[in-house]
Amino acid sequence: MVRRSLVSVVDDDESVRESLPDLLRELGFSAHAFSSAEEFLTSDYIDQTRCLILDIAMPGMTGPDLQRELKLRRKEIPIVFITAHRDATVRPQVLEQGAVECLFKPFSDTALLNALNAALRVS
Amino acid sequence: MADSSHEISVDNAIGAANSSQSPSARALSRVEPPQSESGLFSGESVLNILKLIFTGAPLADVLTIIARLVEAQGKGMFCTIWLLDKEGGYVHCATAPSLPGFITHWGRTPVGPDGACCGTAVYRREPVYSTDILSDPLWDSYRHLVAPYGVRAVWARPLFSSEGKALGTFAILYRNVGSPSATDLQLIENASHIVGIAIERHLNEKELRRSEAFLAEAQRLSVTGSFSWRVDTDEITWSEELYRIFEFDRDAPVTLELIGSRVHPEDIPLLNDMIARARGIGTDFEYEHRLQMPDRSVKHVHLVGHGRRDRDGRLVYIGAAQDVTEHRLSEETLGKVRSELAHMARVTSLGALTASIAHEVNQPLSGIVTNASTCLRMLATDPPNVDGARDTARRTIRDGNRLSDVITRLRALFSKKETTFESLDLNEAIREVIALSLSELHRGRVILRTELADNLPLVTGDRVQLQQVVLNLLRNASDAMSSVNDRPRHIVITTEREEGDRVRLTVQDEGVGLDPQAMDRLFEAFYTTKNEGMGMGLSISRSIIERHHGRLWAAPNDGPGATFSFSIPCGLASATGARSLGVIATPAAKDAKSVQGNP
């Protein structure tokens, strides 16, 4: 059996942490959710993570903060940002910093799948 | 006899006047020769002299005439009149009509204990009579000055103003040695009295001219002119400064038409309104309007008029007009900046508001969509993962409820805080709003009239909220007239008592009026006809009035414009009978009396 790629979800919103891993599993990935960037950084999952689904606005370390931190640590994990703020200026910024995609909540499963496929192609 | 003529008829007249003298003195050459020896001026001659004095004849002429009149009373008398200089150090001879060259010969004498008779009389503040100047030591230094005229006695009497201030000396120089007779004394008294009046009047006039000059200077400095306007004849008098402000030719007679020709075309209705109202009621007025100058520049003039009736009951306005252009221009700039800032703030806060609402809603919505997607996928597998789908559907429901909670929270956040009811005077609350809006209304060239009922009962309500409603109606009325240029922009605010212990407020404008198609939507949130409006004003106003168990409605006028009114019950107790009563969230609301006593 093909080993499923691990997709890690980092979001302070509980409903996302509860719902998104289930969908990811339905889409054929293995999934793990973290409630903060700090929690993800201190976990053992960094190296196994093939793709990171990352909320932008979080208390403490934000999504872009984590993106920078991972770059510094030379962890080349493809990132798909998700955000509830429909702010047009944020998307180009994070894409420029190397993110694969930036999805606005709520997003469809197809949009998510397309983004994940693109991310995994990158890796 | 015409007051402007200096021509007089003096029955106790005098000899021929010197032809080199002024017209008023020359006029005397036509009067009749002397007759009386009573030592008194006749009533008519006194009257004629007074007439001369009060029609502004030169002082020197008046004094000469008096001197001649005195000389005509007795042979061998030479009359001289001396004026005290400003510093009080000398008396100067102002007239000596029968002593040729005397004034140049002996122009002045010091005020002091030995200043001949004339200076000494002022110094002593009492008459000084020298019966023989040849022996009187007072004349030691001056004898040679009068001796050539064959003078032996000098009778000098100091002159005083009505307040007792020394003015000068009246002196009779006499050919013979001797004291003045009773008749002479009477004559001296008589003449001195009139001379005193003439001098005092002259000094007062000088003072008046000086203060007028001061006033003109003050008006120039403060760019304020004064005017009077006689309403029945439209006779208008203007101060110099007003001519300057209006840039009118100084010689042009000022008429309302001339003023109208300078008033900014857009403000003509304002002027007409002002004139019509000033003519009508005769109360004080205060207006501000613009002038359009010949070079197309614009001035702002602030006008204050005080109406009063003269003795015949005719209306006369006395007023002042100030050029407030600089003030107004800087205020306008400030106002522009302010409204731009306000707009920015509104847009910014609105943007921030919608963003945060979107965020709050999108979070749980995202969970719902994800769960629903998962659910569908679970059901689409073969065999379908029914248990998984059921769990996911349950989570979807829970996220839906969570979203509903978010919306409840948002509503709580934006709904009005608890209303504070108190007993208040609606008229007073309205006056406060008007005071706050006055400069804005001025800028909008709006003429506001208030007809607030005197007998208005107190109402129980939230002062600030009711003021918001009034302010909103006032703004709407003003905005509705911003494009009106062919008629005055009138707003009338009225309060009145209504049957059933209610009060009613109406705000009537003469603006663009109401679109009949849109009447139903007027009070809906986000409905607006304004470019900059959010369409919340009337919707919020109506909810405030409903919270007061009242009614807010709009109606088109017979003429142009619209009228918005609200009617609220005076006390909440009386409102308990009203239809569709909500529960009022104030502990004291059940009993209006306790609300009044316990604000």
Side-chain angles (χ1 to χ4, degrees):
Chain A
M1 189 181 166
V2 184
R3 201 168 147 221
R4 292 171 164 229
S5 303
L6 175 66
V7 176
S8 293
V9 176
V10 180
D11 198 319
D12 63 319
D13 187 66
E14 197 190 358
S15 64
V16 172
R17 289 203 305 277
E18 279 181 3
S19 59
L20 202 50
D22 276 357
L23 180 61
L24 288 168
R25 282 179 209 118
E26 283 302 310
L27 293 173
F29 300 96
S30 138
H32 200 96
F34 302 87
S35 66
S36 71
E38 291 86 345
E39 194 193 332
F40 175 69
L41 282 174
T42 52
S43 75
D44 301 331
Y45 289 87
I46 300 180
D47 290 332
Q48 305 168 38
T49 300
R50 298 275 75 83
C51 177
L52 185 61
I53 296 180
L54 183 55
D55 187 25
I56 289 182
M58 289 184 291
M61 203 174 191
T62 66
D65 288 345
L66 179 57
Q67 183 185 27
R68 261 190 303 280
E69 180 62 26
L70 291 173
K71 228 184 226 173
L72 285 174
R73 296 186 185 191
R74 304 191 184 285
K75 305 289 182 193
E76 303 285 332
I77 309 171
I79 299 176
V80 174
F81 276 104
I82 55 175
T83 179
H85 277 297
R86 215 165 259 277
D87 185 343
T89 60
V90 160
R91 196 181 130 89
Q93 276 171 21
V94 294
L95 292 182
E96 196 184 319
Q97 291 301 311
V100 177
E101 184 53 280
C102 177
L103 300 174
F104 292 119
K105 296 177 187 177
F107 44 82
S108 70
D109 52 356
T110 23
L112 180 65
L113 192 54
N114 287 341
L116 287 171
N117 284 336
L120 294 173
R121 259 202 307 280
V122 168
S123 69
Chain B
M1 179 189 275
D3 283 355
S4 58
S5 163
H6 291 154
E7 214 155 305
I8 56 165
S9 153
V10 182
D11 51 3
N12 305 311
I14 37 175
N18 191 325
S19 62
S20 69
Q21 277 170 320
S22 63
S24 49
R26 268 202 308 280
L28 287 167
S29 61
R30 291 193 285 276
V31 297
E32 288 161 28
Q35 292 162 353
S36 161
E37 280 157 29
S38 67
L40 285 170
F41 292 170
S42 76
E44 197 187 331
S45 58
V46 170
L47 210 63
N48 285 334
I49 293 168
L50 289 179
K51 234 175 230 168
L52 270 183
I53 292 172
F54 290 106
T55 51
L59 179 66
D61 291 0
V62 175
L63 296 183
T64 300
I65 289 164
I66 298 170
R68 284 185 182 285
L69 266 176
V70 171
E71 286 171 352
Q73 301 290 320
K75 284 203 166 65
M77 282 184 182
F78 308 110
C79 187
T80 60
I81 300 171
W82 305 67
L83 300 180
L84 186 65
D85 65 13
K86 225 161 73 183
E87 291 73 30
Y90 290 90
V91 284
H92 299 256
C93 186
T95 187
S98 305
L99 300 173
F102 182 83
I103 293 175
T104 37
H105 193 53
W106 187 17
R108 63 175 196 179
T109 187
V111 173
D114 46 22
C117 287
C118 314
T120 312
V122 173
Y123 175 75
R124 294 189 193 162
R125 295 182 66 85
E126 62 181 26
V128 176
Y129 305 131
S130 284
T131 49
D132 185 356
I133 62 164
L134 295 185
S135 58
D136 192 333
L138 266 183
W139 287 88
D140 286 350
S141 313
Y142 304 97
R143 204 166 286 126
H144 64 284
L145 295 168
V146 284
Y149 294 100
V151 169
R152 287 303 293 273
V154 176
W155 310 325
R157 182 204 183 278
L159 302 166
F160 300 106
S161 73
S162 48
E163 282 129 27
K165 220 178 112 223
L167 300 173
T169 311
F170 179 85
I172 286 176
L173 284 58
Y174 197 51
R175 274 187 199 285
N176 305 317
V177 173
S179 317
S181 67
T183 314
D184 295 333
L185 286 176
Q186 187 67 56
L187 179 67
I188 291 170
E189 262 323 289
N190 232 329
S192 298
H193 187 61
I194 298 178
V195 169
I197 291 173
I199 298 173
E200 200 174 354
R201 157 88 187 183
H202 172 76
L203 293 177
N204 284 347
E205 247 174 25
K206 243 166 82 176
E207 187 53 42
L208 186 66
R209 271 197 297 277
R210 219 159 56 98
S211 65
E212 270 173 358
F214 271 136
L215 184 66
E217 181 70 5
Q219 292 202 349
R220 200 183 59 75
L221 285 173
S222 63
V223 264
T224 305
S226 51
F227 63 89
S228 73
W229 170 30
R230 214 192 174 97
V231 174
D232 58 344
T233 58
D234 275 342
E235 203 178 311
I236 297 172
T237 50
W238 273 23
S239 77
E240 192 117 359
E241 183 58 22
L242 216 46
Y243 279 98
R244 209 195 56 74
I245 292 172
F246 275 71
E247 294 175 24
F248 282 148
D249 183 2
R250 191 66 184 78
D251 302 323
V254 179
T255 59
L256 289 176
E257 289 71 37
L258 186 67
I259 296 171
S261 71
R262 197 60 105 222
V263 170
H264 195 284
E266 284 175 21
D267 289 349
I268 290 283
L270 206 63
L271 177 79
N272 290 339
D273 178 83
M274 179 192 88
I275 292 171
R277 289 183 42 178
R279 276 193 209 287
I281 28 178
T283 50
D284 297 356
F285 61 80
E286 189 170 353
Y287 273 82
E288 197 176 311
H289 62 75
R290 290 166 296 173
L291 303 179
Q292 194 167 52
M293 310 317 290
D295 64 358
R296 312 290 293 168
S297 67
V298 170
K299 282 186 183 177
H300 294 251
V301 178
H302 185 128
L303 208 67
V304 183
H306 170 63
R308 60 193 176 89
R309 305 245 165 215
D310 68 6
R311 241 180 304 169
D312 304 324
R314 290 178 302 189
L315 188 56
V316 180
Y317 280 97
I318 307 291
Q322 188 177 23
D323 182 348
V324 291
T325 309
E326 270 182 45
H327 182 69
R328 198 55 70 230
L329 288 183
S330 57
E331 209 175 52
E332 258 175 24
T333 318
L334 195 67
K336 257 182 218 152
V337 172
R338 203 160 39 200
S339 73
E340 272 165 24
L341 275 178
H343 185 68
M344 286 284 289
R346 212 161 49 214
V347 169
T348 313
S349 65
L350 193 65
L353 183 70
T354 47
S356 79
I357 292 174
H359 183 256
E360 291 299 306
V361 172
N362 282 337
Q363 288 288 30
L365 203 54
S366 178
I368 291 169
V369 171
T370 305
N371 280 325
S373 305
T374 310
C375 186
L376 280 177
R377 284 183 181 273
M378 283 174 171
L379 292 173
T381 53
D382 191 17
N385 178 358
V386 177
D387 287 346
R390 193 176 288 127
D391 283 349
T392 320
R394 278 203 192 98
R395 279 210 304 271
T396 311
I397 293 169
R398 196 202 51 202
D399 281 346
N401 288 336
R402 199 179 282 172
L403 180 54
S404 161
D405 288 347
V406 167
I407 289 168
T408 309
R409 248 193 357 256
L410 279 173
R411 279 183 63 110
L413 186 65
F414 291 106
S415 72
K416 174 76 191 160
K417 70 172 167 67
E418 215 167 79
T419 313
T420 336
F421 282 93
E422 58 175 327
S423 188
L424 63 98
D425 178 353
L426 189 61
N427 284 347
E428 196 186 295
I430 291 167
R431 282 189 202 104
E432 283 178 13
V433 173
I434 291 172
L436 279 173
S437 327
L438 215 53
S439 73
E440 198 177 321
L441 292 173
H442 266 315
R443 257 198 299 282
R445 320 256 151 239
V446 170
I447 303 159
L448 178 69
R449 198 168 81 232
T450 53
E451 289 173 7
L452 307 181
D454 291 333
N455 60 347
L456 206 65
L458 296 180
V459 298
T460 303
D462 185 313
R463 185 187 194 84
V464 175
Q465 287 188 6
L466 289 176
Q467 286 183 323
Q468 276 177 358
V469 175
V470 177
L471 183 67
N472 187 245
L473 296 182
L474 206 53
R475 287 229 171 105
N476 281 351
S478 173
D479 288 347
M481 296 192 293
S482 58
S483 59
V484 171
N485 287 317
D486 59 339
R487 57 177 184 267
R489 300 176 182 176
H490 279 132
I491 294 179
V492 185
I493 296 188
T494 314
T495 55
E496 59 197 308
R497 193 178 192 142
E498 272 194 322
E499 280 193 15
D501 212 13
R502 298 171 76 87
V503 293
R504 178 197 286 208
L505 169 137
T506 56
V507 177
Q508 187 177 32
D509 66 56
E510 294 178 18
V512 290
L514 302 169
D515 176 3
Q517 308 289 313
M519 287 290 279
D520 296 341
R521 303 189 53 207
L522 267 183
F523 296 94
E524 280 175 19
F526 298 114
Y527 173 77
T528 182
T529 55
K530 302 177 199 169
N531 292 332
E532 292 175 349
M534 268 177 69
M536 296 301 282
L538 282 175
S539 132
I540 290 172
S541 294
R542 177 173 263 188
S543 74
I544 288 174
I545 294 302
E546 281 172 356
R547 215 168 288 154
H548 286 79
H549 312 297
R551 214 159 62 81
L552 172 66
W553 70 97
N557 292 343
D558 291 338
T563 301
F564 282 77
S565 315
F566 70 68
S567 158
I568 52 172
C570 295
L572 290 177
S574 66
T576 46
R579 209 159 41 83
S580 72
L581 241 190
V583 177
I584 297 155
T586 316
K590 277 174 236 131
D591 183 356
K593 281 190 184 113
S594 75
V595 173
Q596 284 171 19
N598 183 20

